[in-house]
Amino acid sequence: MTRKIEIDQLWEGSHFLSAEHIDLVKKEKLFIRVEDMATINSAIAESYWSRSPIIFILFDAFNMKQISGTVTQIDQGLRRVKLKTEDDCEWIRMDDIARIFR
């Protein structure tokens, strides 16, 4: 994927993001972080200890992404969790999590 950063704009692949769009996404992430951090941490811990499935809604550059599985590892130093899905395992950054459903 090609990335080119210019003044007040960002090109990612064939998509253009204006500075306003980038700021809006950052503010939305910050708002969700403050509001739901305790709930997110609780759900991750519950999935880890009980090995119960969980659904993550993640921020993407252009939209939201959904992934489901069981939390198998928590890396507090790098702020990420390892999720075992049906096909594979995937590391998810805590900063990319928008919402969690149990």
Side-chain angles (χ1 to χ4, degrees):
M1 187 177 297
T2 305
R3 282 195 170 170
K4 181 179 178 184
I5 299 176
E6 297 179 7
I7 299 174
D8 294 334
Q9 61 188 13
L10 175 68
W11 286 94
E12 172 127 3
S14 62
H15 301 281
F16 171 76
L17 295 176
S18 68
E20 294 81 18
H21 183 257
I22 294 167
D23 289 341
L24 181 64
V25 169
K26 287 179 182 176
K27 287 177 185 174
E28 185 177 342
K29 285 175 76 169
L30 179 62
F31 177 73
I32 290 174
R33 296 270 118 234
V34 171
E35 291 293 315
D36 296 332
M37 185 55 82
T39 305
I40 288 171
N41 288 338
S42 173
I44 288 171
E46 182 180 327
S47 175
Y48 176 75
W49 290 109
S50 67
R51 299 291 185 220
S52 58
I54 194 169
I55 299 170
F56 287 92
I57 306 297
L58 306 173
F59 282 108
D60 193 335
F62 308 108
N63 54 20
M64 301 292 214
K65 175 183 170 184
Q66 178 178 317
I67 186 169
S68 61
T70 304
V71 175
T72 59
Q73 201 170 353
I74 300 171
D75 185 343
Q76 292 179 340
L78 295 177
R79 295 188 37 77
R80 62 186 186 162
V81 296
K82 190 172 191 178
L83 190 70
K84 182 180 182 211
T85 62
E86 290 180 1
D87 303 324
D88 202 8
C89 290
E90 183 173 340
W91 283 102
I92 298 173
R93 293 175 358 126
M94 292 290 291
D95 294 335
D96 293 341
I97 299 171
R99 289 193 172 69
I100 290 183
F101 299 100
R102 301 177 211 185

